[in-house]
């Protein structure tokens, strides 16, 4: 089967995709959700375990208060309603890495419900009424946010004597998770990517998780179906599991939508199943038939009382809610006169936004700080294949350099050279500026007059062209003077002196 073409072409004409996402986020607590075992990643296998998380007979769970607070904080940031009473349930199924034979989760009475995330409209969603009328964002509903414990991990590689062995590491068993379940409101792979990007951004701002996908702190399963355009009834869905990057999730959805369209167009039937994505091949493969909710035989967890988050506790949690990314972007635009694009880049993480605000408040011109980040800093980082958080030049360093340019102490050319040195030496701007002897652009008119005379004498043909009416040659002379002064001449003063001398 060939699915290399963009499926949105077929899907727009005959079929429409329906996508829902289930995101598991590991909470950044020091201990597990029902016991005091450490949640530290990277410990030797089966060392962060105890009778409770191993499911030993007679061992009883005790709920971690901090896990509840973190879960509620995340749910609030996602615009969810916190239910005063929620119930833990046993989700029964057998996997080798699930020692109890069931997972403690929440089912029909979750911690939080009815939230949403706003995402930009997908460019391919041309049939949407809101997009046609000029609205810029779309709400993706969040059905529920509930607490649950993680399972262990099956290890299939690294054995010297056989390739078909499996080992079990139960360190992760009992680590606290929240599952964030979206409504089936997502209609394109691009929308799914934007939803996940904004979800991760919001969770990072709250500080309840590090969202490290490489360590499994954030995992996503995607449910996708297609149906004839305009049909109300949903098609049969497939669940794509164990995808370890947002880019791969988008690619998996592109493939799966095209696969389902092709099956239906050829007269086939979509099976409800779980599929895995092979990033190397760019294809999904059937893993197993998908269980229904009744297959898990949910029933209330008898060893845990109902969880009650009353108004007093809810008010305490609300106090920890930070200013969230979208609100912060709007405020930065208003407070510092920067563009929306500037604000988008500068709020990519809470720490970066905090650094920028501190720099902007200290700088003479906040807009110049933003411009330097966009122009000088971002270009060098891209060339180095680094993220902005990895920059050798801090936001404080950017503010210092912005003030030096603003005051006329250094020129734009000098700043570029100093930034190059900072990246070459992997040092912050103030340190490099000191190492270079605190260079300053020259405003010594007598010294500049001498350089200008030498430049004019060395370029008689260009001087003749200027005097014949080719006034654009002024820029040539400015460049030559700046070169002769090794970039230390004040460009504005050079312009003034040249115009006077040439006039």
């Amino acid at each position: 089967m060939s699915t290399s073409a963009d499926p949105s072409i077929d899907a727009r004409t005959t079929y429409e995709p329906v996508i829902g996402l289930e995101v598991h986020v590991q909470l950044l607590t020091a201990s597990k959700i029902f016991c005091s075992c450490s949640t530290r990643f990277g410990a030797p296998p089966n060392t962060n375990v105890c009778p409770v998380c191993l499911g030993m007979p007679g061992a009883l769970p005790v709920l971690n208060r901090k896990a509840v607070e973190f879960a509620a904080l995340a749910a609030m940031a996602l615009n969810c309603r916190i239910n005063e009473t929620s119930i833990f349930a046993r989700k029964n199924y057998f996997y080798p890495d699930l020692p109890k034979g069931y997972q403690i989760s929440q089912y029909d009475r979750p911690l939080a419900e009815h939230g949403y995330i706003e995402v930009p409209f997908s460019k391919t969603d041309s049939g949407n009424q809101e997009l046609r009328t000029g609205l810029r964002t779309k709400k993706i509903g969040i059905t529920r946010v509930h607490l649950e414990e993680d399972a262990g991990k099956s290890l299939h590689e690294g054995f010297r004597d056989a390739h078909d062995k499996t080992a079990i590491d139960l360190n992760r068993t009992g680590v606290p998770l929240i599952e964030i379940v979206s409504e089936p409101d997502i209609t394109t792979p691009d929308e799914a990517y934007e939803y996940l990007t904004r979800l991760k951004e919001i969770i990072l701002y709250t500080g309840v998780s590090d969202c490290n996908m490489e360590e499994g702190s954030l995992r996503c399963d995607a449910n996708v179906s297609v149906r004839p355009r305009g049909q109300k009834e949903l098609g049969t869905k497939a669940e794509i599991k164990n995808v370890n990057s947002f880019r791969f999730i988008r690619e998996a959805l592109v493939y799966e939508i095209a696969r389902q369209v092709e099956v239906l167009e050829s007269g086939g039937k979509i099976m409800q199943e779980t599929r895995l994505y092979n990033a190397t091949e760019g294809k999904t493969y059937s893993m197993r038939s998908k269980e229904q909710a009744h297959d898990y035989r949910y029933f209330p967890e008898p060893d845990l009382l109902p969880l009650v988050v009353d108004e007093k506790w809810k008010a305490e949690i609300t106090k920890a809610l930070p200013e969230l990314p979208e609100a912060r972007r709007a405020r930065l635009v208003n407070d510092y006169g920067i563009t929306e694009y500037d604000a988008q880049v500068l709020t990519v993480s809470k720490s970066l936004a905090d650094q920028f605000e501190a720099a902007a408040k200290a700088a003479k011109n906040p807009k110049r700080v933003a411009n330097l980040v966009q122009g000088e800093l971002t270009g060098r980082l891209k060339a180095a294949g680094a993220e902005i958080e990895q920059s050798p030049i801090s936001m404080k360093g950017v503010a210092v350099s912005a003030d030096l340019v603003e005051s006329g102490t250094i020129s734009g050319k000098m700043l570029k050279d100093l930034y190059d040195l900072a990246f070459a030496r992997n040092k912050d701007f103030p340190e490099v500026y000191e190492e270079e002897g605190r260079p300053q652009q020259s405003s010594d008119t007598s010294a500049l007059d001498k350089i200008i005379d030498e430049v004019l004498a060395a370029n008689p043909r260009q001087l003749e062209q200027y005097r014949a009416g080719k006034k654009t040659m002024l820029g040539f002379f400015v460049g030559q003077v700046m070169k002769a002064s090794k970039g230390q001449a004040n460009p504005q003063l050079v312009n003034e002196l040249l115009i006077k001398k040439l006039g």
Side-chain angles (χ1 to χ4, degrees), residues 255-256 273-278 281 283-287:
Y255 175 86
E256 183 60 21
E273 60 183 347
T274 298
R275 299 179 69 86
L276 296 179
Y277 178 64
N278 185 312
E281 298 180 16
K283 296 181 179 181
T284 64
Y285 290 93
S286 180
M287 178 184 177

Side-chain angles (χ1 to χ4, degrees), residues 450-461:
K450 183 179 178 182
I451 293 174
I452 289 171
D453 288 339
E454 291 171 353
V455 166
L456 295 178
N459 296 278
R461 184 169 60 85

Side-chain angles (χ1 to χ4, degrees), residues 317-462:
I317 297 169
T318 304
K319 292 177 183 177
L321 194 65
E323 183 181 30
L324 295 172
E326 287 302 325
R328 190 165 199 177
R329 286 177 192 125
R331 182 176 60 77
L332 292 184
V333 170
N334 183 67
D335 289 358
Y336 301 109
I338 63 176
T339 67
E340 290 184 8
Y341 180 76
D342 289 340
Q344 183 77 37
V345 172
L346 293 166
T347 55
V348 69
S349 71
K350 186 175 183 297
S351 63
L352 179 63
D354 290 343
Q355 290 176 53
F356 168 73
E357 283 222 67
K361 288 174 182 176
K364 295 182 175 70
N365 185 341
K367 176 61 178 170
R368 188 182 290 276
V369 173
N371 288 345
L372 287 178
V373 172
Q374 294 298 322
E376 301 301 333
L377 204 58
T378 304
R380 287 173 174 81
L381 289 170
K382 187 175 181 180
E387 298 297 326
I388 198 162
E389 293 89 348
Q390 300 167 305
S391 170
I393 302 178
S394 66
M395 285 294 108
K396 183 179 179 181
V398 173
V400 169
S401 68
D403 283 354
L404 289 171
V405 174
E406 191 76 18
S407 64
T409 303
I410 64 173
S411 66
K413 172 64 168 60
M414 294 168 71
L415 179 138
K416 290 176 185 291
D417 292 342
L418 289 166
Y419 269 46
D420 287 341
L421 289 173
F423 270 75
R425 298 173 187 175
N426 197 31
K427 293 180 178 179
D428 204 351
F429 181 89
E431 186 178 358
V432 170
Y433 184 63
E434 291 293 332
E435 287 178 353
E436 293 300 301
R438 301 173 62 87
Q440 297 184 20
Q441 65 178 353
S442 173
S443 295
D444 184 341
T445 54
S446 60
L448 290 177
D449 270 331
K450 183 179 178 182
I451 293 174
I452 289 171
D453 288 339
E454 291 171 353
V455 166
L456 295 178
N459 296 278
R461 184 169 60 85
Q462 290 83 354

Side-chain angles (χ1 to χ4, degrees), residues 242-300:
N242 300 334
V243 187
N244 62 4
S245 81
F246 294 169
R247 179 171 65 87
F248 288 159
I249 289 168
R250 179 164 54 188
E251 291 175 4
L253 288 169
V254 167
Y255 175 86
E256 183 60 21
I257 291 167
R259 184 192 71 84
Q260 292 188 22
V261 167
E262 186 169 322
V263 169
L264 294 175
E265 285 289 281
S266 62
K269 184 179 179 181
I270 303 298
M271 304 300 294
Q272 182 161 323
E273 60 183 347
T274 298
R275 299 179 69 86
L276 296 179
Y277 178 64
N278 185 312
T280 304
E281 298 180 16
K283 296 181 179 181
T284 64
Y285 290 93
S286 180
M287 178 184 177
R288 61 174 182 268
S289 62
K290 171 64 179 170
E291 298 90 344
Q292 301 284 352
H294 63 261
D295 293 329
Y296 292 119
R297 304 187 318 280
Y298 281 100
F299 64 87

